Short mmCIF file of all heavy atoms in Angstrom, two decimals:
data_model
loop_
_atom_site.label_atom_id
_atom_site.label_comp_id
_atom_site.label_asym_id
_atom_site.label_seq_id
_atom_site.Cartn_x
_atom_site.Cartn_y
_atom_site.Cartn_z
N TYR A 1 247.62 28.14 10.06
CA TYR A 1 246.85 26.90 9.87
C TYR A 1 247.25 25.78 10.84
O TYR A 1 246.75 24.66 10.71
CB TYR A 1 247.00 26.42 8.43
CG TYR A 1 246.64 27.48 7.42
CD1 TYR A 1 247.58 27.92 6.48
CD2 TYR A 1 245.38 28.09 7.42
CE1 TYR A 1 247.27 28.91 5.56
CE2 TYR A 1 245.08 29.08 6.51
CZ TYR A 1 246.01 29.49 5.59
OH TYR A 1 245.70 30.49 4.68
N ASN A 2 248.14 26.09 11.78
CA ASN A 2 248.60 25.05 12.71
C ASN A 2 249.25 23.87 11.99
O ASN A 2 249.22 22.74 12.48
CB ASN A 2 247.46 24.54 13.60
CG ASN A 2 247.23 25.43 14.80
OD1 ASN A 2 248.04 26.29 15.11
ND2 ASN A 2 246.10 25.25 15.47
N THR A 3 249.80 24.11 10.82
CA THR A 3 250.46 23.03 10.07
C THR A 3 251.76 22.68 10.78
O THR A 3 252.57 23.56 11.07
CB THR A 3 250.73 23.48 8.63
OG1 THR A 3 249.50 23.96 8.07
CG2 THR A 3 251.24 22.32 7.79
N ARG A 4 251.96 21.39 11.04
CA ARG A 4 253.07 20.99 11.90
C ARG A 4 254.16 20.20 11.18
O ARG A 4 255.03 19.61 11.82
CB ARG A 4 252.54 20.18 13.09
CG ARG A 4 251.83 21.07 14.12
CD ARG A 4 252.81 22.08 14.71
NE ARG A 4 252.19 23.14 15.47
CZ ARG A 4 251.97 24.37 15.01
NH1 ARG A 4 252.30 24.68 13.77
NH2 ARG A 4 251.43 25.28 15.77
N LEU A 5 254.15 20.23 9.85
CA LEU A 5 255.22 19.60 9.09
C LEU A 5 255.67 20.54 7.98
O LEU A 5 254.85 21.04 7.21
CB LEU A 5 254.76 18.28 8.47
CG LEU A 5 255.78 17.59 7.55
CD1 LEU A 5 257.02 17.15 8.33
CD2 LEU A 5 255.16 16.41 6.81
N VAL A 6 256.99 20.74 7.91
CA VAL A 6 257.61 21.48 6.81
C VAL A 6 258.60 20.55 6.13
O VAL A 6 259.45 19.96 6.79
CB VAL A 6 258.34 22.74 7.30
CG1 VAL A 6 258.95 23.50 6.12
CG2 VAL A 6 257.42 23.65 8.10
N VAL A 7 258.48 20.41 4.82
CA VAL A 7 259.39 19.57 4.05
C VAL A 7 260.17 20.44 3.08
O VAL A 7 259.57 21.15 2.27
CB VAL A 7 258.64 18.48 3.27
CG1 VAL A 7 259.61 17.64 2.43
CG2 VAL A 7 257.85 17.58 4.22
N LEU A 8 261.50 20.39 3.18
CA LEU A 8 262.36 21.06 2.20
C LEU A 8 262.66 20.02 1.12
O LEU A 8 263.41 19.07 1.35
CB LEU A 8 263.64 21.55 2.89
CG LEU A 8 264.48 22.59 2.15
CD1 LEU A 8 265.06 22.08 0.84
CD2 LEU A 8 263.68 23.87 1.90
N LEU A 9 262.03 20.19 -0.04
CA LEU A 9 262.06 19.16 -1.08
C LEU A 9 262.95 19.55 -2.26
O LEU A 9 262.61 20.43 -3.04
CB LEU A 9 260.64 18.90 -1.58
CG LEU A 9 260.47 17.87 -2.70
CD1 LEU A 9 260.88 16.48 -2.20
CD2 LEU A 9 259.02 17.86 -3.20
N GLY A 10 264.11 18.89 -2.35
CA GLY A 10 264.96 19.04 -3.52
C GLY A 10 264.76 17.86 -4.45
O GLY A 10 263.90 17.01 -4.22
N HIS A 11 265.56 17.79 -5.49
CA HIS A 11 265.40 16.67 -6.43
C HIS A 11 266.69 16.41 -7.20
O HIS A 11 267.56 17.28 -7.30
CB HIS A 11 264.27 16.96 -7.42
CG HIS A 11 264.54 18.12 -8.34
ND1 HIS A 11 265.10 17.95 -9.60
CD2 HIS A 11 264.35 19.44 -8.18
CE1 HIS A 11 265.23 19.15 -10.17
NE2 HIS A 11 264.78 20.06 -9.34
N THR A 12 266.82 15.21 -7.72
CA THR A 12 267.99 14.85 -8.51
C THR A 12 268.02 15.70 -9.78
O THR A 12 267.00 16.18 -10.25
CB THR A 12 267.94 13.36 -8.89
OG1 THR A 12 266.74 13.09 -9.63
CG2 THR A 12 267.98 12.47 -7.66
N GLN A 13 269.23 15.87 -10.32
CA GLN A 13 269.44 16.61 -11.56
C GLN A 13 268.91 18.05 -11.49
O GLN A 13 268.37 18.58 -12.47
CB GLN A 13 268.80 15.89 -12.75
CG GLN A 13 269.30 14.47 -12.95
CD GLN A 13 268.66 13.82 -14.17
OE1 GLN A 13 268.43 14.45 -15.19
NE2 GLN A 13 268.36 12.53 -14.05
N CYS A 14 269.04 18.68 -10.35
CA CYS A 14 268.53 20.05 -10.18
C CYS A 14 269.32 21.02 -11.05
O CYS A 14 270.54 21.15 -10.93
CB CYS A 14 268.62 20.47 -8.71
SG CYS A 14 268.04 22.16 -8.41
N GLY A 15 268.62 21.74 -11.93
CA GLY A 15 269.29 22.66 -12.85
C GLY A 15 269.96 23.81 -12.16
O GLY A 15 271.03 24.27 -12.58
N ALA A 16 269.36 24.31 -11.07
CA ALA A 16 269.95 25.44 -10.36
C ALA A 16 271.26 25.03 -9.69
O ALA A 16 272.23 25.80 -9.66
CB ALA A 16 268.97 25.99 -9.33
N VAL A 17 271.29 23.82 -9.15
CA VAL A 17 272.53 23.32 -8.54
C VAL A 17 273.58 23.11 -9.62
O VAL A 17 274.76 23.45 -9.45
CB VAL A 17 272.26 22.01 -7.77
CG1 VAL A 17 273.58 21.39 -7.29
CG2 VAL A 17 271.34 22.28 -6.57
N ALA A 18 273.18 22.55 -10.75
CA ALA A 18 274.12 22.33 -11.86
C ALA A 18 274.70 23.65 -12.35
O ALA A 18 275.90 23.75 -12.63
CB ALA A 18 273.42 21.60 -13.00
N ALA A 19 273.86 24.69 -12.46
CA ALA A 19 274.33 25.99 -12.90
C ALA A 19 275.31 26.59 -11.91
O ALA A 19 276.31 27.22 -12.30
CB ALA A 19 273.14 26.93 -13.09
N THR A 20 275.06 26.37 -10.63
CA THR A 20 275.97 26.87 -9.59
C THR A 20 277.32 26.17 -9.68
O THR A 20 278.38 26.82 -9.62
CB THR A 20 275.36 26.65 -8.20
OG1 THR A 20 274.10 27.31 -8.13
CG2 THR A 20 276.29 27.19 -7.11
N LEU A 21 277.32 24.85 -9.85
CA LEU A 21 278.58 24.12 -9.98
C LEU A 21 279.34 24.57 -11.22
O LEU A 21 280.57 24.70 -11.19
CB LEU A 21 278.30 22.62 -10.07
CG LEU A 21 277.77 21.95 -8.79
CD1 LEU A 21 277.37 20.51 -9.08
CD2 LEU A 21 278.81 22.02 -7.67
N ASP A 22 278.61 24.82 -12.29
CA ASP A 22 279.25 25.28 -13.53
C ASP A 22 279.94 26.62 -13.33
O ASP A 22 281.06 26.83 -13.80
CB ASP A 22 278.21 25.36 -14.65
CG ASP A 22 278.85 25.68 -15.99
OD1 ASP A 22 279.68 24.88 -16.46
OD2 ASP A 22 278.52 26.74 -16.57
N GLU A 23 279.27 27.53 -12.63
CA GLU A 23 279.88 28.84 -12.38
C GLU A 23 281.10 28.72 -11.47
O GLU A 23 282.11 29.40 -11.69
CB GLU A 23 278.84 29.79 -11.77
CG GLU A 23 277.76 30.20 -12.76
CD GLU A 23 277.05 31.50 -12.38
OE1 GLU A 23 277.58 32.23 -11.52
OE2 GLU A 23 275.98 31.77 -12.95
N LEU A 24 281.01 27.86 -10.46
CA LEU A 24 282.16 27.67 -9.58
C LEU A 24 283.32 27.02 -10.32
O LEU A 24 284.49 27.40 -10.14
CB LEU A 24 281.75 26.80 -8.38
CG LEU A 24 280.79 27.44 -7.38
CD1 LEU A 24 280.33 26.39 -6.37
CD2 LEU A 24 281.44 28.61 -6.66
N ARG A 25 283.00 26.07 -11.18
CA ARG A 25 284.04 25.35 -11.93
C ARG A 25 284.76 26.28 -12.91
O ARG A 25 285.98 26.21 -13.08
CB ARG A 25 283.40 24.18 -12.69
CG ARG A 25 284.40 23.27 -13.37
CD ARG A 25 283.68 22.15 -14.10
NE ARG A 25 283.01 21.23 -13.20
CZ ARG A 25 281.69 21.12 -13.05
NH1 ARG A 25 280.89 21.91 -13.75
NH2 ARG A 25 281.17 20.24 -12.22
N ASN A 26 284.01 27.16 -13.54
CA ASN A 26 284.57 28.04 -14.57
C ASN A 26 284.88 29.44 -14.07
O ASN A 26 285.30 30.30 -14.86
CB ASN A 26 283.61 28.12 -15.75
CG ASN A 26 283.39 26.77 -16.41
OD1 ASN A 26 284.35 26.08 -16.75
ND2 ASN A 26 282.13 26.38 -16.58
N ASN A 27 284.65 29.63 -12.76
CA ASN A 27 284.91 30.95 -12.16
C ASN A 27 284.22 32.06 -12.96
O ASN A 27 284.81 33.09 -13.28
CB ASN A 27 286.41 31.22 -12.08
CG ASN A 27 286.72 32.37 -11.14
OD1 ASN A 27 285.97 32.65 -10.20
ND2 ASN A 27 287.83 33.07 -11.40
N SER A 28 282.96 31.82 -13.29
CA SER A 28 282.19 32.76 -14.10
C SER A 28 281.00 33.27 -13.31
O SER A 28 280.71 32.81 -12.21
CB SER A 28 281.72 32.10 -15.39
OG SER A 28 280.87 31.00 -15.09
N ARG A 29 280.28 34.22 -13.90
CA ARG A 29 279.09 34.76 -13.25
C ARG A 29 277.96 34.87 -14.27
O ARG A 29 278.19 35.21 -15.43
CB ARG A 29 279.35 36.16 -12.66
CG ARG A 29 280.39 36.19 -11.56
CD ARG A 29 280.50 37.59 -11.01
NE ARG A 29 279.34 37.95 -10.20
CZ ARG A 29 279.08 39.18 -9.78
NH1 ARG A 29 279.87 40.18 -10.13
NH2 ARG A 29 278.02 39.43 -9.05
N SER A 30 276.75 34.59 -13.81
CA SER A 30 275.59 34.75 -14.68
C SER A 30 275.42 36.22 -15.03
O SER A 30 275.63 37.10 -14.18
CB SER A 30 274.33 34.26 -13.96
OG SER A 30 273.18 34.65 -14.66
N PRO A 31 275.07 36.53 -16.28
CA PRO A 31 274.87 37.92 -16.66
C PRO A 31 273.64 38.55 -16.03
O PRO A 31 273.49 39.77 -16.03
CB PRO A 31 274.72 37.84 -18.19
CG PRO A 31 274.21 36.46 -18.44
CD PRO A 31 274.87 35.60 -17.40
N SER A 32 272.75 37.72 -15.47
CA SER A 32 271.53 38.22 -14.86
C SER A 32 271.70 38.36 -13.35
O SER A 32 272.00 37.38 -12.66
CB SER A 32 270.37 37.28 -15.15
OG SER A 32 269.28 37.52 -14.29
N ARG A 33 271.47 39.53 -12.83
CA ARG A 33 271.57 39.76 -11.39
C ARG A 33 270.56 38.90 -10.64
O ARG A 33 270.84 38.39 -9.55
CB ARG A 33 271.31 41.24 -11.08
CG ARG A 33 271.41 41.59 -9.59
CD ARG A 33 271.09 43.04 -9.35
NE ARG A 33 269.70 43.33 -9.69
CZ ARG A 33 269.14 44.54 -9.62
NH1 ARG A 33 269.88 45.57 -9.27
NH2 ARG A 33 267.87 44.71 -9.94
N ASN A 34 269.38 38.72 -11.23
CA ASN A 34 268.34 37.94 -10.58
C ASN A 34 268.71 36.45 -10.49
O ASN A 34 268.50 35.81 -9.46
CB ASN A 34 267.02 38.10 -11.33
CG ASN A 34 266.54 39.53 -11.34
OD1 ASN A 34 266.50 40.18 -10.30
ND2 ASN A 34 266.22 40.04 -12.51
N GLN A 35 269.29 35.92 -11.58
CA GLN A 35 269.74 34.54 -11.53
C GLN A 35 270.93 34.38 -10.59
O GLN A 35 271.07 33.35 -9.92
CB GLN A 35 270.09 34.05 -12.93
CG GLN A 35 268.87 33.93 -13.85
CD GLN A 35 269.23 33.43 -15.23
OE1 GLN A 35 269.96 32.45 -15.37
NE2 GLN A 35 268.74 34.10 -16.26
N ARG A 36 271.79 35.39 -10.55
CA ARG A 36 272.93 35.32 -9.62
C ARG A 36 272.46 35.22 -8.18
O ARG A 36 273.12 34.58 -7.35
CB ARG A 36 273.83 36.56 -9.79
CG ARG A 36 274.77 36.50 -10.97
CD ARG A 36 275.97 37.43 -10.78
NE ARG A 36 275.57 38.80 -10.51
CZ ARG A 36 275.30 39.72 -11.44
NH1 ARG A 36 275.36 39.39 -12.72
NH2 ARG A 36 274.97 40.94 -11.11
N SER A 37 271.33 35.84 -7.87
CA SER A 37 270.84 35.80 -6.49
C SER A 37 270.50 34.37 -6.07
O SER A 37 270.61 34.02 -4.89
CB SER A 37 269.62 36.71 -6.33
OG SER A 37 268.49 36.18 -7.00
N ILE A 38 270.09 33.55 -7.04
CA ILE A 38 269.82 32.14 -6.75
C ILE A 38 271.13 31.38 -6.57
O ILE A 38 271.32 30.64 -5.60
CB ILE A 38 268.97 31.51 -7.87
CG1 ILE A 38 267.60 32.19 -7.95
CG2 ILE A 38 268.81 30.00 -7.64
CD1 ILE A 38 266.77 31.77 -9.14
N VAL A 39 272.03 31.56 -7.52
CA VAL A 39 273.34 30.88 -7.46
C VAL A 39 274.07 31.23 -6.17
O VAL A 39 274.67 30.36 -5.53
CB VAL A 39 274.18 31.26 -8.69
CG1 VAL A 39 275.63 30.80 -8.51
CG2 VAL A 39 273.59 30.65 -9.95
N GLU A 40 274.01 32.49 -5.78
CA GLU A 40 274.74 32.93 -4.59
C GLU A 40 274.19 32.31 -3.31
O GLU A 40 274.90 32.21 -2.31
CB GLU A 40 274.72 34.46 -4.51
CG GLU A 40 275.62 35.10 -5.55
CD GLU A 40 275.42 36.60 -5.69
OE1 GLU A 40 274.51 37.15 -4.99
OE2 GLU A 40 276.13 37.23 -6.48
N ARG A 41 272.93 31.89 -3.32
CA ARG A 41 272.38 31.23 -2.14
C ARG A 41 272.73 29.75 -2.12
O ARG A 41 272.76 29.14 -1.05
CB ARG A 41 270.86 31.42 -2.09
CG ARG A 41 270.46 32.84 -1.72
CD ARG A 41 268.97 32.98 -1.46
NE ARG A 41 268.66 34.33 -1.05
CZ ARG A 41 268.75 34.81 0.19
NH1 ARG A 41 269.15 33.99 1.16
NH2 ARG A 41 268.45 36.05 0.47
N ILE A 42 272.98 29.18 -3.28
CA ILE A 42 273.35 27.76 -3.34
C ILE A 42 274.85 27.56 -3.14
O ILE A 42 275.29 26.59 -2.52
CB ILE A 42 272.90 27.16 -4.69
CG1 ILE A 42 271.38 27.22 -4.83
CG2 ILE A 42 273.40 25.72 -4.85
CD1 ILE A 42 270.87 26.79 -6.19
N ALA A 43 275.64 28.49 -3.66
CA ALA A 43 277.09 28.33 -3.71
C ALA A 43 277.75 27.99 -2.37
O ALA A 43 278.60 27.09 -2.32
CB ALA A 43 277.74 29.58 -4.31
#
């Protein structure tokens, strides 16, 4: 489409970021492999 702007849009109070910090703080892992794939990209 010849689109010439890409915006990477995050937001305050992001739950995925909070979950990642919680896992790092407690040295734990999500029981879901699929959710871990998100945490592992943020960590």
Side-chain angles (χ1 to χ4, degrees):
Y1 306 120
N2 277 347
T3 308
R4 286 298 168 259
L5 175 65
V6 181
V7 178
L8 196 296
L9 179 64
H11 66 94
T12 58
Q13 303 182 37
C14 179
V17 173
T20 302
L21 292 173
D22 186 61
E23 291 202 15
L24 291 172
R25 187 181 293 109
N26 298 309
N27 195 27
S28 61
R29 297 183 72 192
S30 168
S32 164
R33 181 182 65 182
N34 298 311
Q35 292 181 47
R36 280 202 305 273
S37 70
I38 297 172
V39 169
E40 288 168 357
R41 287 189 178 276
I42 298 174

